[in-house]
Amino acid sequence: MKINQRNKGNVTILDIEGNLVGPNTVELKKLIDNQIRTAEGEPVSMILNMERVQMMDSSGLGVIVAAYASIRRNDGRVVLLNIGGNIRSLIIMAKLVTIFDRYDTEAEALASFQ
């Protein structure tokens, strides 16, 4: 799995590529935890771009839910971008579809932070 981090204004975008399963999720968790820690209590604005994620299991879902909870605790927001059919199905089955804001374009996701 590869993760590219970039910033647009005050929004951090994580472009995730590969399978978000099992031990692969550790890298994403560390990166998100580091973003929260370096924000020093300030709200974090984050987009998780899932366009190139082929597969996600419960471990990947757990990391995303934990990120959501941690970021919300500090009045921040995390949104999902470009979730494909398999991942969308997993989020629906886990009954998390009402929790996560989801966008199909980066422009829409960025505009949601304004």
PDB file of all heavy atoms in Angstrom, residues 9 45 57 64:
ATOM      1  N   GLY A   9      -4.665  24.242   0.926  1.00  0.00           N
ATOM      2  CA  GLY A   9      -5.059  25.155   1.986  1.00  0.00           C
ATOM      3  C   GLY A   9      -4.854  24.481   3.327  1.00  0.00           C
ATOM      4  O   GLY A   9      -3.795  23.917   3.586  1.00  0.00           O
ATOM      5  N   SER A  45      -8.724  18.929   9.201  1.00  0.00           N
ATOM      6  CA  SER A  45      -9.593  18.763   8.029  1.00  0.00           C
ATOM      7  C   SER A  45      -8.893  17.782   7.097  1.00  0.00           C
ATOM      8  O   SER A  45      -7.785  18.052   6.636  1.00  0.00           O
ATOM      9  CB  SER A  45      -9.802  20.100   7.318  1.00  0.00           C
ATOM     10  OG  SER A  45     -10.413  21.023   8.185  1.00  0.00           O
ATOM     11  N   ASP A  57     -10.810  -4.357   4.286  1.00  0.00           N
ATOM     12  CA  ASP A  57     -11.455  -5.291   5.202  1.00  0.00           C
ATOM     13  C   ASP A  57     -11.826  -4.564   6.487  1.00  0.00           C
ATOM     14  O   ASP A  57     -11.760  -3.340   6.573  1.00  0.00           O
ATOM     15  CB  ASP A  57     -10.571  -6.516   5.465  1.00  0.00           C
ATOM     16  CG  ASP A  57      -9.293  -6.198   6.227  1.00  0.00           C
ATOM     17  OD1 ASP A  57      -9.076  -5.024   6.610  1.00  0.00           O
ATOM     18  OD2 ASP A  57      -8.496  -7.130   6.445  1.00  0.00           O
ATOM     19  N   ILE A  64     -10.403   3.785   9.623  1.00  0.00           N
ATOM     20  CA  ILE A  64     -11.159   4.938   9.150  1.00  0.00           C
ATOM     21  C   ILE A  64     -12.148   5.415  10.215  1.00  0.00           C
ATOM     22  O   ILE A  64     -12.294   6.613  10.452  1.00  0.00           O
ATOM     23  CB  ILE A  64     -11.863   4.609   7.815  1.00  0.00           C
ATOM     24  CG1 ILE A  64     -10.800   4.447   6.718  1.00  0.00           C
ATOM     25  CG2 ILE A  64     -12.866   5.675   7.434  1.00  0.00           C
ATOM     26  CD1 ILE A  64     -11.336   3.929   5.418  1.00  0.00           C
TER      27      ILE A  64
END
